Amino acid sequence: MGRAHEVRAAAMAKTAAMKSKVYSRYGKEIYIAAKSGVPDPDMNLTLRAKIKEAKANQVPADVIKRAIEKAKGGSSESYDSLRYEGFGPGAATVIVDCLTDNSNRTIAAMNQCFNKAHCKLGVKGSVSFNYDNLGVISFNYEDEDKMLDTLIEADVDVNDLEVEEGVMTVYVAPADLHKAQEAIDALIPNVEYSVCAIKMLPQEYTTITDEHDKELWNRLLTLLDEVDDVQEVYHNVIDAE
């Protein structure tokens, strides 16, 4: 279906700044998981799963430790999960997931980003119905039959599985992401993941060809990347560079 290629291309294009964004994202999510229960992964299944996911995405141990220590320290910070959906040039659509401690600040930032890029914010559900919510795991491996058998034996709900240039990408039900990761870890000791996360994947992709539209679209993505509250940006555009 071409999903794996797009996911890998996006992962390979990450800059140091984007890595910092990933670290910040997982730092907040681990803090929230630790605050929601006991700040001990041995006693908090949600926290343990989130730490495992963070490590699979190469988040440094010190980032994980700081987030847990912050929760242990009794910090009063709290975050709300907010999702914004919008439209870009042509058939471009975008979903922006945020974690914020100030929703007024975040919506003001979203309005500013979309207005400056001459794009349009939509209402809840206006875009997301054209996306699939899936757990995505990418890693070096080629035996599709063996992997499928392993995941089925682990009672993982597999949506799709494909291999391209030696890289396998597995798509599973979001609730089974960590179960799938554990099964893969057992099958392939010391496996390294290029992607291991729950993502919103477009059912169809589009291309922006007009140069002015490309400029506006890339401006939107740049502006969103500069907003600290933004955790993830999903969109259906390819070849917009």
Side-chain angles (χ1 to χ4, degrees), residues 191-212:
V191 63
E192 293 187 3
Y193 300 99
S194 55
V195 179
C196 182
I198 295 173
K199 292 181 174 290
M200 296 291 287
L201 300 180
Q203 295 165 5
E204 293 183 3
Y205 287 92
T206 190
T207 302
I208 297 176
T209 56
D210 180 82
E211 291 302 320
H212 179 64

Side-chain angles (χ1 to χ4, degrees), residues 169-233:
T169 300
V170 179
Y171 304 91
V172 303
D176 286 353
L177 176 68
H178 299 116
K179 189 193 299 184
Q181 185 186 348
E182 289 177 353
I184 295 167
D185 286 344
L187 178 65
I188 316 170
N190 302 315
V191 63
E192 293 187 3
Y193 300 99
S194 55
V195 179
C196 182
I198 295 173
K199 292 181 174 290
M200 296 291 287
L201 300 180
Q203 295 165 5
E204 293 183 3
Y205 287 92
T206 190
T207 302
I208 297 176
T209 56
D210 180 82
E211 291 302 320
H212 179 64
D213 285 347
K214 284 184 183 180
E215 180 182 347
L216 292 176
W217 177 251
N218 288 322
R219 181 188 303 173
L220 174 63
L221 297 183
T222 298
L223 289 168
L224 290 173
D225 187 56
E226 293 172 352
V227 178
D228 289 339
D229 295 336
V230 172
Q231 293 288 96
E232 287 280 2
V233 176

Side-chain angles (χ1 to χ4, degrees), residues 2-236:
R3 286 176 178 159
H5 173 73
E6 302 307 329
V7 172
R8 287 198 302 279
M12 291 170 63
K14 285 184 177 178
T15 62
M18 292 175 76
K19 284 184 179 180
S20 177
K21 192 85 170 179
V22 171
Y23 300 164
S24 175
R25 168 196 164 196
Y26 277 105
K28 288 180 182 178
E29 292 182 355
I30 289 169
Y31 168 78
I32 291 171
K35 287 283 286 186
S36 68
V38 180
D40 181 345
D42 290 332
M43 302 174 66
N44 185 330
L45 294 178
T46 301
L47 176 59
R48 185 165 65 204
K50 186 54 64 175
I51 290 173
K52 191 173 182 66
E53 183 182 331
K55 288 180 177 179
N57 285 280
Q58 288 78 54
V59 176
D62 64 315
V63 173
I64 297 171
K65 182 179 178 181
R66 281 199 305 269
I68 296 174
E69 290 301 318
K70 184 177 179 181
K72 287 181 178 179
S75 173
S76 60
E77 286 184 20
S78 62
Y79 295 95
D80 293 320
S81 297
L82 300 174
R83 169 167 288 174
Y84 300 94
E85 304 179 27
F87 303 88
T93 59
V94 60
I95 296 174
V96 186
D97 282 346
C98 300
L99 269 180
T100 180
D101 57 359
N102 186 325
S103 58
N104 290 330
R105 179 190 66 223
T106 306
I107 185 57
M110 291 299 101
N111 279 320
Q112 186 175 54
C113 290
F114 278 81
N115 289 338
K116 284 186 175 181
H118 300 284
C119 296
K120 181 182 178 181
L121 271 174
V123 298
K124 182 179 180 180
S126 59
V127 167
S128 55
F129 75 96
N130 281 320
Y131 285 67
D132 294 323
N133 187 31
L134 293 170
V136 183
I137 309 176
S138 288
F139 50 95
N140 290 326
Y141 194 70
E142 296 189 30
D143 191 336
E144 295 183 48
D145 291 337
K146 180 64 175 178
M147 180 56 62
L148 188 58
D149 287 344
T150 297
L151 294 173
I152 290 175
E153 288 176 6
D155 196 28
V156 173
D157 182 1
V158 180
N159 178 275
D160 195 12
L161 185 155
E162 57 189 7
V163 176
E164 186 174 331
E165 297 179 357
V167 177
M168 177 175 289
T169 300
V170 179
Y171 304 91
V172 303
D176 286 353
L177 176 68
H178 299 116
K179 189 193 299 184
Q181 185 186 348
E182 289 177 353
I184 295 167
D185 286 344
L187 178 65
I188 316 170
N190 302 315
V191 63
E192 293 187 3
Y193 300 99
S194 55
V195 179
C196 182
I198 295 173
K199 292 181 174 290
M200 296 291 287
L201 300 180
Q203 295 165 5
E204 293 183 3
Y205 287 92
T206 190
T207 302
I208 297 176
T209 56
D210 180 82
E211 291 302 320
H212 179 64
D213 285 347
K214 284 184 183 180
E215 180 182 347
L216 292 176
W217 177 251
N218 288 322
R219 181 188 303 173
L220 174 63
L221 297 183
T222 298
L223 289 168
L224 290 173
D225 187 56
E226 293 172 352
V227 178
D228 289 339
D229 295 336
V230 172
Q231 293 288 96
E232 287 280 2
V233 176
Y234 309 106
H235 61 78
N236 67 340

